[in-house]
């Protein structure tokens, strides 16, 4: 003991020689095993260090970390060279040998080398690439990713230097002062009595020490003094001068004085701590026994991923274990948070001293994995390297101080009376076990042994390092690696070591193989049911796996057999990891999916991963939940952390209530932010709102019935208790009488929110959490596509009604009698018939007083005095007639035959089915059930006939013409798309509403005329057909968020978007499409979408969007996604999701404001008016003898068409120069339009503004010619006559053209110059 004290004082000694001697006795702790004796001092420490060095695995390429300072990597390598076997990393850190002059130059290979047969290693690599990676591209991508995330050698040197300086500063921190009367004063008195003091001390003392006692000072307790001064001399037959009794009396008085003295502060007396630092621990209850004083660390050890080489960028954390000396501790420090508080005080004292050092850019506290029992100190370098590394100081106990058997999962170390602040414990009341508390202390005792274990596993296993790096990236992308109960990188490392131990992984495996094997293990092993252990020895004194399962939800025991590495993890979080692993294995095995992009490059935030997300706004409400659920024992175990105590119970409660509806009920990981050292530590409520995610089974999620057991079964009582007053008895069709819960929901959107009703009900009933504390964001975006009327839903029912009416009309067309040719196919092409119309038509009947009547033709036209009538959209149906030799082969003749069919269809439908019809040359409109269907006859050979071109030589050849392509689009592509997407809606009920949200957003951004509806439908369809790495969306909101993310993240320039409708494309087809796309990229549209029926031309994006519009779309999508996710993840904010649907207008040069009474779709606006105009229609589906309503009439669209298709008069001079409205004759043909000068943007769903953007080239001065005078005026520039736009006249023409519709034209003059 004298040697140990001498060694301890040597660390603090001012004498250089003593310091060097002590430092030399301590081993280099980088990579050192705990059992190597690194914590010993003096002679024992030196011997232990020598033994440890012999046993230590060599770590290559790292600097050695020791109290003597750092060795540079090169020095470390040289020091190890003698004992290190030659290997892959043996030369790292040493100078490279000079190249052999005789060797061939490395830049080029000789011809013989180029054509040399592949070696066995190369053949193995090729075989592995083919079998494992599916393609060499995946292998290259993974290798590049590993290079990107691995820490570079130059950075390591900087980090090593930073650690070296921290080491020096830690050793120099002085101990806290104490008077001679304290325990140290007692030590002086005893040494004097033993002859171990100074000459002066001995001369002044009347006592002579018993023989040999100078080496026998293990402790300074009353028991120790009695033993060594009375018992030992009595046994050896010696007598103390003056008598042992007198000696003991003297020592007793010294002892009592020492321990009553306030010189060694009580744990509760923290007045010694400076005011610029706060204790990083929630001291509740405050009163606790024990004493504390600071002594410099006994040992410093770098632990964790940095030494193993498995830490990955961008966040480099280096963990340093600071071993507190034994003298800091007393007996029973395992009880009542005494150890944890000493740990916190120790770090606080270090923080106080480090805060004054210029070395550090920041010194802050944080909770390790957000566990408030485990504060750590974060140190970052000064200056530009502040973001390079974060050094995390962990205080841990001296090795061997605690008796480990006290920390078994079944043992108690937090007394109820102390926790409840009671004066005395209740008699006979057993103390509950505190497994989480026990585990938190045990974790600190095994930091070094874990490092040794992982180090031995990583020896000669380069693939382990790469595999762990890939797994960490995989976890980071899924937000699983941070927070309380996370699946951390350390846990992954231990899991890889476990699989290596069980020989499910072998040392020759590559990093990718390690990744696959770990994912396969996670996917197939449920650690919440069957735990695993790294302990090799079956020691009866160690707790069994069953004991761990009784105490923890997830079990993974470390090599010591005592620590559960998954102690804080909930079963729900592990099941989420398991589900992600299953999904990842499916992706890796699917050759159609880019596995690298899906697994390792795509982030999976909660909002885009889960179908519904809700927040517990005020986590303080979990205090009442703990009380309601009687979780006192759990609260004691968790140190009063009611969030951690209640969370597993809340999640299991919801999982039971949503069983059958939800595949997974998950929760966010509570994360506490770091805080300054002069601030109070965060409270439990400071984790912020807690988020929960629900992943649905789409076929059962919207069920309105919760059927329970039969009323006479014992389980019925449990069912009634669980559901409370919602449970009632019901008789079912099979005659059984069962307990049941029926949820109120009439529309589809209400049924989607049944899980919300369940969540609110169960949390109120069982956890005493009020509804006001729950913010459910599962369907906040539904308001954008709802009709605005209460209980009217979001239009799904309206589309079902339309499809039923369409099916009935189809049957009537099939069965028409009297047609010269039969109908072979009826195909709908309107978006409502594929469930993707933003605002589906509703059955309407016109009010005659709002219209003018043309009685001779039984027609209505809008009245000028009344507001514009409501917009009635005709729903187009393609009616294919059978082929016959009587069809003409001339395209004009075919058009006339089709016109005759239109007339005859109208006549027969009116005669045989009493439907009101209005025939035209190109179509026949049918008014049925309050809807208007537009029939269009098609002949299957017509597109081919339109492709016929006669050459000047008289030869007939076939080539695509604009007319033939348009007809193919109408009669082939659009019907196929509609039928395919109709089928997709049957598989995925959320598809239609997701499309509608996407199209509403595109229109709200004023871009609906720049990107086709079919294009948007296909983009959304790809999210359901190829959802990797997600599951297909089960709610429209998630579908829409993923749509925005797809726009932003997809590489439109280098990749085609392949939408495999009806699984019509094989893997070979997809490869061919990609290859041809790359070869012909410059000739293809900027947004290329391939489908089974349209592999090479991308018909839906052939004309639009342009490159500029696509770029604008991507910018808007990125900003909308960011804004929406901020709104939805902030339950305490306004949650105004419509902000993403309001277009930014500051970009545009001119705004044309419209009169709302002439906007027929005014009620479809994002911000609906409180009051609107009567639109001259009433809801009615039973109209028989009614006049045909006004169809497809939208004055704003007519106005836009005129702006784009007509020109201004010469120079725009005079008033109202628009042809077509004023009745005057234009000087120019209709193709010379405003579209030469400007682009026009409008939200067709009730927009009140037309935005105008001048084309930059149109403002370039043109030479003075008559052909250049469109909308221009003559001006002089550099003594030459030029033509420049006459902006004032153009704006005047905008108003004249839109007289009655245009309210005002706002010119933003600062936005354009001539």
């Amino acid at each position: 003991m004298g040697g140990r004290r001498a060694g301890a004082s040597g660390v603090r000694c001012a004498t250089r020689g003593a310091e060097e001697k002590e430092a030399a006795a301590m081993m280099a702790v980088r990579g050192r095993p705990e059992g190597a004796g690194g914590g010993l001092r003096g002679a024992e420490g030196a011997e232990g260090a020598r033994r440890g060095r012999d046993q230590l695995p060599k770590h290559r390429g790292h600097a050695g970390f020791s109290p003597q300072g750092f060795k540079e990597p090169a020095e470390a390598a040289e020091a190890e060279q003698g004992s290190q076997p030659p290997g892959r990393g043996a030369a790292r850190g040493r100078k490279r040998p000079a190249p052999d002059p005789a060797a061939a130059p490395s830049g080029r290979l000789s011809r013989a080398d180029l054509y040399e047969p592949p070696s066995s290693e190369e053949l193995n690599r090729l075989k592995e690439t083919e079998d494992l990676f599916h393609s060499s591209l995946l292998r290259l991508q993974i290798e590049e990713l590993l290079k990107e995330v691995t820490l570079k050698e130059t950075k390591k040197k900087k980090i090593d230097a930073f650690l070296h300086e921290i080491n020096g500063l830690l050793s120099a921190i002085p101990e806290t002062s104490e008077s001679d009367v304290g325990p140290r004063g007692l030590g002086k008195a005893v040494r004097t009595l033993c002859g171990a003091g100074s000459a002066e001390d001995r001369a002044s003392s009347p006592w002579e020490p018993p023989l040999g006692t100078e080496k026998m000072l293990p402790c300074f307790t009353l028991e120790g003094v009695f033993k060594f001064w009375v018992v030992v001399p009595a046994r050896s037959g010696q007598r103390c001068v003056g008598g042992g009794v007198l000696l003991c009396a003297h020592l007793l008085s010294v002892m009592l004085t020492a321990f009553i003295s306030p010189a060694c502060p009580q744990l509760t007396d923290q007045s010694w701590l400076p005011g610029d630092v706060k204790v990083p621990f929630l001291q509740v209850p405050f009163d606790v026994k024990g004493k504390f004083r600071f002594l410099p660390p006994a040992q410093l050890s770098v632990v964790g991923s940095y030494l193993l080489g498995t830490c990955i960028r961008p966040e480099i954390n280096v963990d340093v274990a600071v071993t507190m000396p034994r003298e800091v501790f007393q007996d029973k420090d395992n009880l009542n948070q005494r150890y944890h508080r000493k740990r916190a005080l120790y770090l606080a004292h270090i923080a106080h001293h480090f805060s004054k050092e210029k070395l550090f850019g920041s010194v802050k506290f944080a909770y390790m994995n957000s566990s408030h029992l485990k504060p750590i100190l974060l140190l970052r370098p000064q200056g530009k390297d502040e973001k390079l590394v974060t050094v995390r100081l962990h205080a841990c106990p001296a090795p061997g101080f605690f008796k480990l058997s006290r920390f078994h999962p079944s043992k108690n170390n937090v007394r109820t009376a102390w926790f409840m602040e009671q004066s005395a414990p209740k008699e006979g009341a057993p103390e509950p076990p505190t497994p989480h508390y026990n585990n938190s202390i045990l974790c600190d005792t095994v930091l070094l042994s874990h490092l040794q274990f992982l180090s031995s596993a990583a020896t000669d296993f380069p693939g382990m390092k790469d595999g762990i790096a890939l797994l960490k990236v995989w976890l980071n992308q899924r937000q699983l690696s941070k927070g309380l109960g996370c699946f951390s990188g350390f846990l992954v490392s231990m899991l890889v070591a476990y699989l290596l131990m069980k020989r499910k992984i072998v040392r020759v495996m590559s990093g990718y193989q390690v990744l696959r094997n770990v994912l396969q293990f996670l996917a197939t092993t449920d650690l919440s049911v069957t735990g695993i252990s790294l302990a090799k020895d079956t020691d009866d004194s160690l707790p069994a796996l069953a004991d761990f399962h009784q105490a923890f939800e997830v079990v993974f025991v470390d090599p010591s057999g005592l620590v559960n590495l998954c102690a804080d993890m909930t079963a729900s979080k592990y099941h989420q990891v398991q589900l992600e692993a299953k999904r990842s294995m499916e992706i890796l095995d699917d050759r159609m999916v880019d596995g690298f992009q899906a697994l390792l490059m795509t982030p999976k935030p909660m909002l885009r991963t889960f179908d519904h997300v809700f927040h517990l706004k005020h986590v303080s409400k979990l205090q009442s939940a703990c009380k309601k659920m009687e979780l006192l024992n759990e609260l004691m175990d968790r140190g009063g952390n009611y969030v951690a105590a209640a969370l597993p119970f809340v999640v299991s409660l919801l999982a039971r209530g949503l069983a059958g509806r939800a595949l997974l009920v998950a929760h966010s990981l509570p994360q506490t932010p770091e805080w300054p050292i002069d601030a109070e530590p965060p409270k439990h409520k400071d984790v912020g709102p807690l988020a929960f995610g629900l992943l649905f089974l789409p076929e059962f999620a919207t069920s309105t019935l919760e059927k329970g057991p039969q009323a006479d079964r014992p389980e019925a009582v449990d069912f009634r208790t669980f559901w409370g007053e919602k449970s009632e008895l019901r008789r079912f069709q099979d005659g059984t009488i069962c307990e049941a819960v029926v949820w109120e929901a009439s529309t589809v959107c209400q049924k989607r929110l049944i899980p919300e009703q369940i969540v609110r009900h169960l949390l109120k009933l069982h956890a005493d959490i009020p509804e006001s504390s729950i913010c459910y964001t599962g369907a906040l975006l539904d308001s954008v596509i709802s009709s605005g009327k209460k209980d009217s839903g979001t239009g799904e029912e309206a589309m079902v009604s339309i499809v039923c009416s369409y099916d009935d009309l189809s049957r009537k067309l099939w069965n028409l009698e009297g047609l010269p040719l039969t109908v072979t196919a009826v195909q709908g092409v309107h978006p409502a018939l594929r469930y993707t119309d933003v605002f589906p038509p509703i059955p309407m009947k016109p009010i005659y007083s709002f219209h003018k009547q043309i009685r001779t033709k039984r027609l209505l036209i809008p009245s000028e005095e009344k507001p514009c009538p409501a917009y009635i959209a005709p729903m187009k149906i393609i009616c294919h007639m059978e082929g016959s030799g009587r069809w003409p082969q001339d395209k004009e003749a075919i058009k006339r035959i089709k016109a005759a069919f239109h007339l005859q269809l109208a006549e027969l439908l009116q005669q045989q089915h009493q439907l009101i019809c209005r025939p035209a040359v190109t179509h026949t409109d049918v008014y049925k059930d309050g809807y208007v269907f537009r029939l269009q006859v098609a002949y299957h050979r017509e597109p081919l006939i339109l492709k016929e071109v006669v050459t000047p030589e008289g030869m007939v050849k076939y080539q695509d013409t604009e007319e033939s392509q348009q007809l193919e689009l109408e009669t082939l592509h659009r019907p196929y798309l509609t039928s395919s997407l109709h089928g997709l809606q049957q598989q995925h009920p959320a598809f239609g509403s997701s499309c509608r949200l996407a199209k509403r957003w595109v229109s709200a951004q004023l871009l609906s005329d720049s990107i086709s509806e079919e294009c948007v439908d296909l983009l959304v369809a790809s999210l359901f057909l190829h959802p990797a790495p997600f599951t297909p969306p089960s709610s429209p909101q998630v579908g829409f968020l993923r749509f925005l993310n797809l726009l932003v993240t997809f590489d439109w320039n280098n990749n085609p978007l392949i939408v495999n409708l009806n699984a019509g494309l094989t893997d070979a087809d997809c490869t061919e499409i990609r290859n041809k796309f790359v070869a012909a990229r410059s000739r293809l549209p900027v947004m290329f979408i391939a489908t089974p029926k349209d592999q090479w031309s991308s018909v839906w994006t052939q004309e639009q969007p342009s490159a500029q519009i696509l770029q604008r779309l991507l910018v808007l999508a990125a900003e909308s996604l960011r804004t929406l996710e901020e709104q939805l993840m902030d339950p305490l904010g306004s949650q105004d999701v419509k902000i993403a649907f309001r277009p930014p207008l500051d970009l545009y040069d001119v705004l044309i404001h419209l009169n709302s009474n002439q906007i027929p779709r005014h009620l479809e606006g994002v911000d609906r008016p409180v009051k609107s105009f009567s639109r001259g229609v009433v809801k009615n589906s039973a109209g028989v003898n009614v006049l045909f309503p006004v169809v497809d009439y939208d004055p704003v669209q007519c106005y836009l068409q005129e702006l784009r298709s007509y020109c201004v008069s010469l120079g725009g001079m005079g008033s109202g120069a628009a042809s077509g409205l004023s009745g005057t004759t234009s000087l120019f043909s209709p193709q010379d339009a405003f579209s030469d000068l400007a682009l026009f943007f409008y939200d067709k769903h009730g927009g009140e503004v037309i935005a105008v953007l001048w084309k930059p080239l149109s403002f370039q001065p043109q030479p003075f010619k008559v052909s250049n005078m469109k909308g221009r005026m003559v001006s002089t520039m550099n003594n030459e006559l030029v033509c420049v736009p006459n902006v004032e006249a153009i704006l005047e023409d905008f108003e004249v053209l839109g007289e009655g519709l245009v309210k005002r034209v706002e010119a933003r003059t600062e936005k354009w110059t001539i």
Side-chain angles (χ1 to χ4, degrees), residues 736-766:
T736 58
I737 298 174
C738 296
E739 294 285 347
V741 177
V742 179
W743 304 101
E744 293 180 9
S746 54
T747 63
V748 172
C749 73
Q750 288 173 345
K751 288 179 180 175
R752 281 200 295 264
L753 287 174
I754 286 176
E756 178 181 2
Q757 295 185 48
I758 294 173
V759 166
R760 290 184 182 278
H761 173 70
L762 290 177
L763 291 182
K764 181 76 181 81
L765 179 65
H766 293 288

Side-chain angles (χ1 to χ4, degrees), residues 885-906:
R886 291 181 289 175
W887 277 98
Q889 299 305 302
D890 177 71
K891 60 183 180 182
E892 292 300 324
I894 289 174
K895 288 179 182 176
R896 284 166 172 75
I897 294 291
K898 285 163 66 178
F901 268 118
H902 291 141
L903 287 167
Q904 196 165 14
L905 282 171

Side-chain angles (χ1 to χ4, degrees), residues 960-1013:
D960 284 336
T961 64
E962 192 175 337
E963 200 177 4
S964 71
Q965 287 178 329
Q966 186 61 33
L967 189 66
E968 281 184 337
L969 201 69
E970 291 289 339
T971 60
L972 295 176
H973 293 296
R974 197 167 273 138
Y976 167 75
L977 180 69
T978 302
S979 63
S980 298
L981 296 185
H982 182 279
L984 188 61
Q985 168 69 21
Q986 308 308 312
Q987 296 175 45
H988 303 286
F991 166 70
S993 296
S994 300
C995 277
R996 294 166 61 211
L997 279 172
K999 288 196 275 194
R1000 183 68 194 94
W1001 177 82
V1002 170
S1003 181
Q1005 302 301 334
L1006 314 181
L1007 296 175
S1008 55
D1009 292 333
S1010 305
I1011 181 168
S1012 67
E1013 284 200 30

Side-chain angles (χ1 to χ4, degrees), residues 99 393 612 721 737 829 874 1165:
L393 294 190
H612 280 188
T721 305
I737 298 174
V829 296

Side-chain angles (χ1 to χ4, degrees), residues 607-608 1041 1044-1045 1048 1115-1129 1139-1140:
L607 273 176
R608 276 179 261 148
L1041 291 173
L1044 293 178
N1045 185 61
V1048 175
V1115 170
L1116 290 168
E1119 190 60 24
S1120 297
L1121 181 64
R1122 183 191 63 78
T1123 304
L1124 266 179
E1125 291 192 338
E1126 280 180 8
Q1127 292 280 337
L1128 293 171
M1129 289 304 284
I1139 193 171

